[in-house]
């Protein structure tokens, strides 16, 4: 387990970590979520001694991290760090020279380097110049360099930044395979889909503090931490309180335009919402009725923003995991119920 205890850190007079108690359990993939500037990278850099806390402690497998050179070498063997930008990590001219840089530096053998080259699909790339590689390939070289030291823990700072769909899929496979082989991960990301795919524990950071922890993505906190996925899309289901659709629904239908479908024996009204505009008039129209909204996170953001301005009580009922069981369309990931306060 990696743990921080009451961790404080400042860059000059700028306080960035404010008493962080973080924990990453062995064998798990812990995801660190938070908006830009929340302090994720700063926290991650403490987990293998790249930064020294102003106050507080870091513990790895029950041993308190010390900051002399000899202790730090031991820490770096146990905990590898994959930087957000591979160019910050790659230092040698060729792929092979770069991957063996770490083990060579501390007099370790190259067996894990060879294994890493294979497992990351870099066989045949050994003599390639790193600066001739694509972004995705560079990322794999950076990971191979970390694996060459055979660490138990792998810290990744935004590993999906700049990856296309194939690169993302490949990254997910790499993490899953390594996890199955017993590695522990701590990963920071803004990518909610990716987080859901690989994560087992989720830690939410805001303004230098941990504000929440959960064992599945909690949309309320993901939202607070500035995450977004997909487009603002969703389906609004309005269930009127009385059997007859009251007059107010005429406004609602008008507001929704031609997309609204009103059936003859209406007990509920269903509307597909395909853009980010959920206007005040719509919220006014649905006020007082039970409303279910199945939507993408972006739409959730829109609704929550609007609901703050309008007296509609908003309660998130379910996250993606539950809803996925009843609706396989991946754009739908949350259910909201609104009712009059
Ligand atoms: N070397 C530095 N010197 C001074 N301030 C820094 C330095 N590095 C980071 N900061 C500041 O510390 C705060 C936290 O930065 P950090 O990189 O840890 O956040 P983050 O959550 O990783 O953000 P992002 O998601 O944008 O990568 C930010 O306000 C940032 O400007």
């Amino acid at each position: 387990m990696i743990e921080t205890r009451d961790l404080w850190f400042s860059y000059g007079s700028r306080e960035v970590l404010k008493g962080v108690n973080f924990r990453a359990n062995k064998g798990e993939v812990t995801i660190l979520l938070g908006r830009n500037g929340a302090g994720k990278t700063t926290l991650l850099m403490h987990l293998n001694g790249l930064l020294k806390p102003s106050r507080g402690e870091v513990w790895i497998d029950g041993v308190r991290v010390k900051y002399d050179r000899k202790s730090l070498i031991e820490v770096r063997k146990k905990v590898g760090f994959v930087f957000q930008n591979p160019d910050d990590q790659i230092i040698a001219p060729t792929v092979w020279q770069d991957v063996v840089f770490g083990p060579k530096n501390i007099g370790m053998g190259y067996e894990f380097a060879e294994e890493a080259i294979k497992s990351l699909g870099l066989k045949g790339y050994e003599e390639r110049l790193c600066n001739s590689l694509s972004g995705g390939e560079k990322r794999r070289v950076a990971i191979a360099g970390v694996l060459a030291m055979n660490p138990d823990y792998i810290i990744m700072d935004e590993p999906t930044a700049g990856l296309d769909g194939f690169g993302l899929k490949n990254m997910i496979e790499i993490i899953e395979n390594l996890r199955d082989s017993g590695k522990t991960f701590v990963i920071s990301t803004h990518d909610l889909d990716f987080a859901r795919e690989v994560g087992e524990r989720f830690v939410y950071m805001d303004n230098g503090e941990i504000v929440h922890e959960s064992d599945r993505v909690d949309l309320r906190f993901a939202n607070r931490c500035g995450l977004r996925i997909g487009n603002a899309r969703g389906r609004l289901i309005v269930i009127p309180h009385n059997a007859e659709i009251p007059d107010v629904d005429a406004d609602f239908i008008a507001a929704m335009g031609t997309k609204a479908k009103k059936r003859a024996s209406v007990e509920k009204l269903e509307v597909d919402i395909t853009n980010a505009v959920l206007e005040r008039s719509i919220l006014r129209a649905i006020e007082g009725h039970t409303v279910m909204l199945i939507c993408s996170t972006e739409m959730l953001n829109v609704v929550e923003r609007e609901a703050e301005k309008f007296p509609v009580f908003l309660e998130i009922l379910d996250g993606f995991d539950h809803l996925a069981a009843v609706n396989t369309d991946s754009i739908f990931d949350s259910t909201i119920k609104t009712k009059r306060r």
Side-chain angles (χ1 to χ4, degrees), residues 11 14 16 34-43 84 157-158 190:
Y11 293 104
R14 189 191 184 92
V16 173
R35 70 182 74 223
N36 293 126
K40 303 181 297 298
T41 303
T42 307
L43 172 59
Q84 176 168 355
D157 194 8
E158 308 239 5
H190 295 280

Side-chain angles (χ1 to χ4, degrees), residues 14 43 241 300 334:
R14 189 191 184 92
L43 172 59
H241 279 168
L300 178 71
S334 64

Side-chain angles (χ1 to χ4, degrees), residues 13-159:
S13 61
R14 189 191 184 92
E15 205 155 65
V16 173
L17 298 182
K18 303 168 188 169
V20 173
N21 293 304
F22 172 83
R23 165 175 62 89
N25 297 324
K26 202 147 197 183
E28 271 185 1
V29 178
T30 301
I31 302 280
L32 192 56
L33 301 166
R35 70 182 74 223
N36 293 126
K40 303 181 297 298
T41 303
T42 307
L43 172 59
L44 293 183
M45 286 174 82
H46 280 82
L47 304 185
N48 79 337
L50 283 169
L51 287 176
K52 187 177 173 187
S54 324
R55 211 165 91 205
E57 296 166 359
V58 180
W59 289 70
I60 301 168
D61 292 342
V63 178
R64 185 178 157 190
V65 172
K66 298 199 201 91
Y67 295 87
D68 58 282
R69 193 181 136 72
K70 196 161 157 269
S71 308
L72 284 178
I73 289 176
E74 289 312 307
V75 168
R76 306 268 159 79
K77 280 203 287 199
K78 231 176 195 331
V79 187
F81 194 104
V82 182
F83 285 86
Q84 176 168 355
N85 182 351
D87 289 330
D88 291 339
Q89 186 142 9
I90 292 173
I91 32 181
T94 71
V95 169
W96 176 251
Q97 286 167 341
D98 194 76
V99 173
V100 298
F101 185 87
K104 190 174 173 188
N105 225 6
I106 58 163
M108 232 177 110
Y110 292 170
E111 66 271 29
F112 296 110
E114 280 162 10
E115 207 178 298
I117 290 273
K118 266 191 242 149
S119 67
L120 287 163
L122 291 168
K123 205 94 200 93
Y125 282 66
E126 291 90 332
E127 301 311 318
R128 286 274 302 270
L129 290 172
C130 293
N131 64 13
S132 74
L133 300 174
S134 75
E137 288 163 345
K138 279 185 188 169
R139 223 168 254 275
R140 283 191 276 141
V141 172
I143 298 171
V146 165
L147 291 179
M149 306 276 282
N150 192 31
D152 292 335
Y153 297 91
I154 301 171
I155 314 294
M156 289 181 152
D157 194 8
E158 308 239 5

